[in-house]
């Protein structure tokens, strides 16, 4: 148990497949410990981008992975993604994480009921705001950044390896390696795609635009839409006229769909959609042509269409883990 004057943070092991990020980096832990106001316990984790020794070296106490259930009652269990699946036990601790509950995603009642039963408390990272209403913890920039990377790479794969399954996505050591790979593939593709970023003025959208620029896509090929352009209400034919559509909006209420099945069955240039927002099971999903999340080992969903032109969709809900070190700092 922590002293009355310190806050005990317990960094848990992430169990979501392919999740390599950390809610607390060793650098952040060092700064917090230096204040004398925090005690930090870190669970050992082989998948985390940071070595366990990096945490131990700055003064964190190391414990076995997945041991947070036995943590002192006053410890704040800190993580990124959802808790392990197939566990319905009550939650008596305070938790910090992306719980994916408050927009009525699938299973939201089951998750929140565990806090009610255990009398625990949830600080959902998606809804923690400062006094000005701005989110205090967001991975949006790198979500958009890596989302655009996957979109461009998927489009290149269609041009260079038509009909072949898209390969497994693995994390990159840094963004320079990722950008270099994208540039090489674009050169082989022989032309530059047109890419539309929806929500271009937000954190996530600005990340997508940034990646497109760094990959060398001409500015005139980057179509940037935000609230002004969508004010008329969808669906939007303009989406059908680009090669790649990257959705980066923050969905807070019901809006008209951006695309429809009728549109994708008709004439279109569009062949890749990256739904970074991933409101997959939200009843107000503005891309209502799919209802499942994809994964790093099976990244693209083939969307059914009477138009023979392929249309593939990526809906990975933790894209920033492609660049785990940058996204964690």
């Amino acid at each position: 148990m922590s002293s009355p004057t310190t806050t005990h943070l317990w960094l848990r092991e992430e169990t979501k497949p392919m999740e390599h990020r950390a809610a607390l980096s060793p650098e952040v832990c060092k700064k917090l410990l230096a204040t004398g106001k925090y005690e930090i316990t870190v669970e050992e984790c082989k998948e985390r981008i940071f070595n366990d020794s990096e945490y131990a070296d700055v003064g964190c106490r190391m414990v076995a992975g997945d041991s947070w259930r036995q943590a002192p009652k006053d410890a704040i269990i800190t993580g990124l993604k959802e808790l392990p699946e197939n566990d319905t036990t009550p939650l008596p601790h305070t938790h910090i994480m992306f719980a994916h509950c408050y927009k009525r995603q699938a299973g939201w009642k089951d998750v929140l009921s565990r806090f009610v039963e255990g009398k625990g408390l949830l600080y959902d990272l998606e809804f923690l705001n400062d006094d000005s209403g701005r989110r205090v913890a967001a991975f949006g920039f790198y979500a958009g950044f890596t989302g655009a990377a996957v979109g461009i790479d998927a489009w290149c794969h269609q041009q260079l390896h038509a009909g072949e399954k898209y390969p497994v996505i693995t994390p990159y050591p840094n963004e320079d390696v990722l950008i270099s790979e994208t540039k090489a593939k674009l050169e082989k593709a022989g032309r530059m795609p047109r890419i539309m970023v929806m929500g271009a003025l937000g954190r996530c959208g600005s990340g997508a635009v940034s990646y497109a620029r760094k990959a060398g896509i001409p500015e005139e090929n980057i179509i940037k839409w935000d609230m002004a352009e969508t004010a008329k209400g969808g669906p939007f034919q303009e989406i059908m006229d680009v090669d790649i559509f990257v959705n980066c909006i923050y969905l807070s209420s019901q809006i008209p769909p951006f695309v429809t099945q009728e549109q994708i069955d008709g004439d279109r240039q569009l062949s890749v959609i990256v739904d970074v927002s991933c409101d997959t099971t939200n009843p107000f999903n503005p891309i209502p042509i799919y209802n499942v999340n994809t994964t790093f080992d099976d990244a693209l969903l083939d969307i059914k269409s009477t138009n023979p032109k392929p249309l593939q969709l990526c809906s990975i809900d933790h894209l920033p883990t492609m660049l785990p070190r940058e996204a964690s700092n």
Side-chain angles (χ1 to χ4, degrees), residues 83 87-93 95 97 99-102 105-122:
L83 295 172
D87 185 350
T88 59
T89 55
L91 296 170
H93 291 94
H95 284 257
M97 63 177 173
H100 303 298
C101 293
Y102 293 112
Q105 294 97 324
W108 68 274
K109 290 183 180 180
D110 297 330
V111 174
L112 292 182
S113 66
R114 295 177 65 188
F115 285 95
V116 174
E117 293 171 13
K119 297 182 180 180
L121 182 64
L122 170 63

Short mmCIF file of all heavy atoms in Angstrom, two decimals, residues 83 87-93 95 97 99-102 105-122:
data_model
loop_
_atom_site.label_atom_id
_atom_site.label_comp_id
_atom_site.label_asym_id
_atom_site.label_seq_id
_atom_site.Cartn_x
_atom_site.Cartn_y
_atom_site.Cartn_z
N LEU A 83 -9.17 -4.99 -21.03
CA LEU A 83 -8.70 -6.04 -20.12
C LEU A 83 -8.81 -7.39 -20.83
O LEU A 83 -9.49 -7.51 -21.85
CB LEU A 83 -9.55 -6.03 -18.86
CG LEU A 83 -9.43 -4.78 -17.98
CD1 LEU A 83 -10.46 -4.81 -16.86
CD2 LEU A 83 -8.02 -4.65 -17.41
N ASP A 87 -13.24 -12.74 -19.06
CA ASP A 87 -13.12 -12.53 -17.62
C ASP A 87 -14.28 -11.62 -17.21
O ASP A 87 -14.40 -10.50 -17.69
CB ASP A 87 -11.78 -11.87 -17.29
CG ASP A 87 -11.55 -11.73 -15.78
OD1 ASP A 87 -12.51 -11.96 -15.01
OD2 ASP A 87 -10.43 -11.38 -15.38
N THR A 88 -15.11 -12.12 -16.34
CA THR A 88 -16.28 -11.35 -15.91
C THR A 88 -16.23 -11.03 -14.42
O THR A 88 -17.23 -10.62 -13.84
CB THR A 88 -17.58 -12.12 -16.21
OG1 THR A 88 -17.55 -13.40 -15.53
CG2 THR A 88 -17.73 -12.36 -17.71
N THR A 89 -15.07 -11.19 -13.80
CA THR A 89 -14.96 -10.96 -12.37
C THR A 89 -15.13 -9.47 -12.04
O THR A 89 -14.77 -8.60 -12.84
CB THR A 89 -13.59 -11.43 -11.84
OG1 THR A 89 -12.55 -10.79 -12.60
CG2 THR A 89 -13.46 -12.94 -12.01
N PRO A 90 -15.66 -9.16 -10.86
CA PRO A 90 -15.83 -7.76 -10.45
C PRO A 90 -14.49 -7.04 -10.39
O PRO A 90 -13.44 -7.65 -10.17
CB PRO A 90 -16.45 -7.88 -9.06
CG PRO A 90 -17.11 -9.22 -9.04
CD PRO A 90 -16.23 -10.10 -9.88
N LEU A 91 -14.52 -5.73 -10.60
CA LEU A 91 -13.30 -4.92 -10.62
C LEU A 91 -13.33 -3.92 -9.46
O LEU A 91 -14.00 -2.90 -9.52
CB LEU A 91 -13.20 -4.17 -11.96
CG LEU A 91 -13.05 -5.06 -13.19
CD1 LEU A 91 -13.19 -4.24 -14.47
CD2 LEU A 91 -11.71 -5.79 -13.18
N PRO A 92 -12.58 -4.18 -8.41
CA PRO A 92 -12.58 -3.29 -7.25
C PRO A 92 -11.60 -2.13 -7.32
O PRO A 92 -11.68 -1.21 -6.51
CB PRO A 92 -12.21 -4.25 -6.11
CG PRO A 92 -11.31 -5.25 -6.76
CD PRO A 92 -11.84 -5.43 -8.15
N HIS A 93 -10.67 -2.17 -8.27
CA HIS A 93 -9.65 -1.13 -8.37
C HIS A 93 -10.13 0.05 -9.22
O HIS A 93 -11.15 -0.02 -9.92
CB HIS A 93 -8.37 -1.69 -9.02
CG HIS A 93 -7.64 -2.67 -8.19
ND1 HIS A 93 -7.83 -4.03 -8.29
CD2 HIS A 93 -6.67 -2.51 -7.23
CE1 HIS A 93 -7.04 -4.66 -7.44
NE2 HIS A 93 -6.33 -3.76 -6.78
N HIS A 95 -9.22 1.94 -12.57
CA HIS A 95 -8.53 1.58 -13.81
C HIS A 95 -8.44 2.79 -14.73
O HIS A 95 -9.40 3.57 -14.85
CB HIS A 95 -9.27 0.46 -14.54
CG HIS A 95 -9.09 -0.89 -13.94
ND1 HIS A 95 -8.24 -1.85 -14.47
CD2 HIS A 95 -9.64 -1.45 -12.84
CE1 HIS A 95 -8.29 -2.94 -13.72
NE2 HIS A 95 -9.14 -2.74 -12.72
N MET A 97 -7.71 3.30 -18.79
CA MET A 97 -7.54 2.57 -20.05
C MET A 97 -8.55 3.07 -21.07
O MET A 97 -9.44 3.86 -20.76
CB MET A 97 -7.76 1.07 -19.84
CG MET A 97 -9.16 0.70 -19.37
SD MET A 97 -9.37 -1.09 -19.21
CE MET A 97 -11.01 -1.16 -18.45
N ALA A 99 -11.56 1.85 -22.58
CA ALA A 99 -12.50 0.76 -22.29
C ALA A 99 -13.47 0.47 -23.43
O ALA A 99 -14.09 -0.58 -23.47
CB ALA A 99 -13.28 1.07 -21.02
N HIS A 100 -13.62 1.42 -24.34
CA HIS A 100 -14.52 1.25 -25.49
C HIS A 100 -15.94 0.88 -25.04
O HIS A 100 -16.50 -0.12 -25.46
CB HIS A 100 -13.96 0.19 -26.45
CG HIS A 100 -12.59 0.50 -26.94
ND1 HIS A 100 -12.30 1.62 -27.68
CD2 HIS A 100 -11.40 -0.15 -26.77
CE1 HIS A 100 -11.01 1.64 -27.97
NE2 HIS A 100 -10.44 0.60 -27.42
N CYS A 101 -16.48 1.73 -24.17
CA CYS A 101 -17.81 1.48 -23.61
C CYS A 101 -18.82 2.58 -23.91
O CYS A 101 -20.01 2.30 -24.09
CB CYS A 101 -17.73 1.35 -22.09
SG CYS A 101 -16.86 -0.08 -21.49
N TYR A 102 -18.36 3.81 -23.89
CA TYR A 102 -19.28 4.93 -23.78
C TYR A 102 -19.91 5.39 -25.09
O TYR A 102 -20.64 6.38 -25.12
CB TYR A 102 -18.60 6.10 -23.07
CG TYR A 102 -18.30 5.78 -21.62
CD1 TYR A 102 -17.00 5.64 -21.16
CD2 TYR A 102 -19.34 5.58 -20.71
CE1 TYR A 102 -16.73 5.34 -19.84
CE2 TYR A 102 -19.08 5.28 -19.39
CZ TYR A 102 -17.78 5.15 -18.95
OH TYR A 102 -17.52 4.84 -17.64
N GLN A 105 -20.45 0.52 -27.77
CA GLN A 105 -19.80 -0.53 -28.52
C GLN A 105 -20.23 -1.89 -27.99
O GLN A 105 -20.76 -2.01 -26.88
CB GLN A 105 -18.27 -0.39 -28.43
CG GLN A 105 -17.70 0.85 -29.10
CD GLN A 105 -17.45 1.99 -28.13
OE1 GLN A 105 -18.21 2.19 -27.19
NE2 GLN A 105 -16.39 2.74 -28.35
N ALA A 106 -20.00 -2.91 -28.79
CA ALA A 106 -20.40 -4.26 -28.40
C ALA A 106 -19.80 -4.63 -27.04
O ALA A 106 -18.61 -4.43 -26.80
CB ALA A 106 -19.95 -5.26 -29.46
N GLY A 107 -20.62 -5.16 -26.15
CA GLY A 107 -20.16 -5.61 -24.85
C GLY A 107 -20.01 -4.54 -23.80
O GLY A 107 -19.52 -4.81 -22.70
N TRP A 108 -20.48 -3.31 -24.09
CA TRP A 108 -20.25 -2.21 -23.15
C TRP A 108 -20.91 -2.43 -21.80
O TRP A 108 -20.35 -2.10 -20.75
CB TRP A 108 -20.70 -0.89 -23.77
CG TRP A 108 -22.18 -0.74 -23.97
CD1 TRP A 108 -22.91 -1.15 -25.02
CD2 TRP A 108 -23.11 -0.12 -23.06
NE1 TRP A 108 -24.24 -0.83 -24.86
CE2 TRP A 108 -24.38 -0.20 -23.66
CE3 TRP A 108 -22.99 0.49 -21.81
CZ2 TRP A 108 -25.54 0.31 -23.05
CZ3 TRP A 108 -24.13 1.00 -21.21
CH2 TRP A 108 -25.38 0.90 -21.82
N LYS A 109 -22.10 -3.02 -21.80
CA LYS A 109 -22.80 -3.26 -20.53
C LYS A 109 -22.03 -4.25 -19.66
O LYS A 109 -21.96 -4.09 -18.43
CB LYS A 109 -24.20 -3.78 -20.81
CG LYS A 109 -25.15 -2.75 -21.40
CD LYS A 109 -26.54 -3.33 -21.58
CE LYS A 109 -27.50 -2.31 -22.17
NZ LYS A 109 -28.87 -2.88 -22.36
N ASP A 110 -21.46 -5.27 -20.29
CA ASP A 110 -20.71 -6.28 -19.54
C ASP A 110 -19.49 -5.66 -18.87
O ASP A 110 -19.16 -5.99 -17.72
CB ASP A 110 -20.27 -7.41 -20.47
CG ASP A 110 -21.45 -8.17 -21.08
OD1 ASP A 110 -22.50 -8.24 -20.42
OD2 ASP A 110 -21.31 -8.66 -22.22
N VAL A 111 -18.81 -4.78 -19.59
CA VAL A 111 -17.61 -4.15 -19.02
C VAL A 111 -17.98 -3.26 -17.84
O VAL A 111 -17.39 -3.36 -16.75
CB VAL A 111 -16.88 -3.32 -20.10
CG1 VAL A 111 -15.71 -2.55 -19.47
CG2 VAL A 111 -16.37 -4.22 -21.22
N LEU A 112 -18.94 -2.39 -18.03
CA LEU A 112 -19.29 -1.45 -16.96
C LEU A 112 -19.90 -2.16 -15.75
O LEU A 112 -19.72 -1.72 -14.61
CB LEU A 112 -20.26 -0.40 -17.50
CG LEU A 112 -19.68 0.57 -18.53
CD1 LEU A 112 -20.72 1.60 -18.96
CD2 LEU A 112 -18.43 1.27 -18.01
N SER A 113 -20.59 -3.26 -15.99
CA SER A 113 -21.20 -3.99 -14.86
C SER A 113 -20.13 -4.55 -13.92
O SER A 113 -20.36 -4.68 -12.72
CB SER A 113 -22.09 -5.12 -15.37
OG SER A 113 -21.34 -6.13 -16.01
N ARG A 114 -18.94 -4.85 -14.47
CA ARG A 114 -17.86 -5.36 -13.63
C ARG A 114 -17.39 -4.29 -12.65
O ARG A 114 -17.03 -4.61 -11.50
CB ARG A 114 -16.69 -5.83 -14.49
CG ARG A 114 -17.01 -7.01 -15.38
CD ARG A 114 -15.83 -7.39 -16.26
NE ARG A 114 -14.70 -7.87 -15.47
CZ ARG A 114 -13.49 -8.11 -15.98
NH1 ARG A 114 -13.24 -7.86 -17.26
NH2 ARG A 114 -12.52 -8.55 -15.19
N PHE A 115 -17.40 -3.03 -13.07
CA PHE A 115 -17.04 -1.94 -12.17
C PHE A 115 -18.12 -1.72 -11.12
O PHE A 115 -17.82 -1.44 -9.95
CB PHE A 115 -16.79 -0.66 -12.96
CG PHE A 115 -15.49 -0.64 -13.70
CD1 PHE A 115 -15.42 -1.02 -15.03
CD2 PHE A 115 -14.31 -0.27 -13.07
CE1 PHE A 115 -14.22 -1.02 -15.72
CE2 PHE A 115 -13.10 -0.27 -13.74
CZ PHE A 115 -13.05 -0.64 -15.07
N VAL A 116 -19.36 -1.84 -11.53
CA VAL A 116 -20.47 -1.68 -10.58
C VAL A 116 -20.41 -2.76 -9.51
O VAL A 116 -20.51 -2.48 -8.31
CB VAL A 116 -21.82 -1.73 -11.33
CG1 VAL A 116 -22.97 -1.71 -10.33
CG2 VAL A 116 -21.95 -0.55 -12.29
N GLU A 117 -20.21 -4.00 -9.95
CA GLU A 117 -20.18 -5.11 -9.01
C GLU A 117 -18.99 -5.03 -8.06
O GLU A 117 -19.09 -5.37 -6.88
CB GLU A 117 -20.15 -6.43 -9.77
CG GLU A 117 -21.44 -6.72 -10.54
CD GLU A 117 -21.29 -7.93 -11.45
OE1 GLU A 117 -20.29 -8.68 -11.30
OE2 GLU A 117 -22.16 -8.13 -12.32
N GLY A 118 -17.84 -4.59 -8.56
CA GLY A 118 -16.66 -4.52 -7.72
C GLY A 118 -16.49 -3.20 -7.00
O GLY A 118 -15.57 -3.04 -6.20
N LYS A 119 -17.36 -2.24 -7.31
CA LYS A 119 -17.29 -0.89 -6.74
C LYS A 119 -15.97 -0.21 -7.11
O LYS A 119 -15.40 0.56 -6.33
CB LYS A 119 -17.48 -0.92 -5.23
CG LYS A 119 -18.85 -1.45 -4.81
CD LYS A 119 -19.05 -1.43 -3.30
CE LYS A 119 -20.43 -1.96 -2.93
NZ LYS A 119 -20.64 -1.96 -1.46
N GLY A 120 -15.49 -0.53 -8.32
CA GLY A 120 -14.28 0.11 -8.82
C GLY A 120 -14.60 1.38 -9.57
O GLY A 120 -15.76 1.80 -9.65
N LEU A 121 -13.58 1.99 -10.14
CA LEU A 121 -13.74 3.26 -10.84
C LEU A 121 -12.99 3.20 -12.17
O LEU A 121 -11.88 2.66 -12.23
CB LEU A 121 -13.19 4.40 -9.98
CG LEU A 121 -13.33 5.84 -10.52
CD1 LEU A 121 -14.80 6.24 -10.63
CD2 LEU A 121 -12.59 6.81 -9.60
N LEU A 122 -13.59 3.72 -13.22
CA LEU A 122 -12.98 3.73 -14.55
C LEU A 122 -12.70 5.15 -15.00
O LEU A 122 -13.60 5.98 -15.06
CB LEU A 122 -13.91 3.05 -15.57
CG LEU A 122 -13.52 3.19 -17.05
CD1 LEU A 122 -12.17 2.52 -17.31
CD2 LEU A 122 -14.60 2.60 -17.95
#
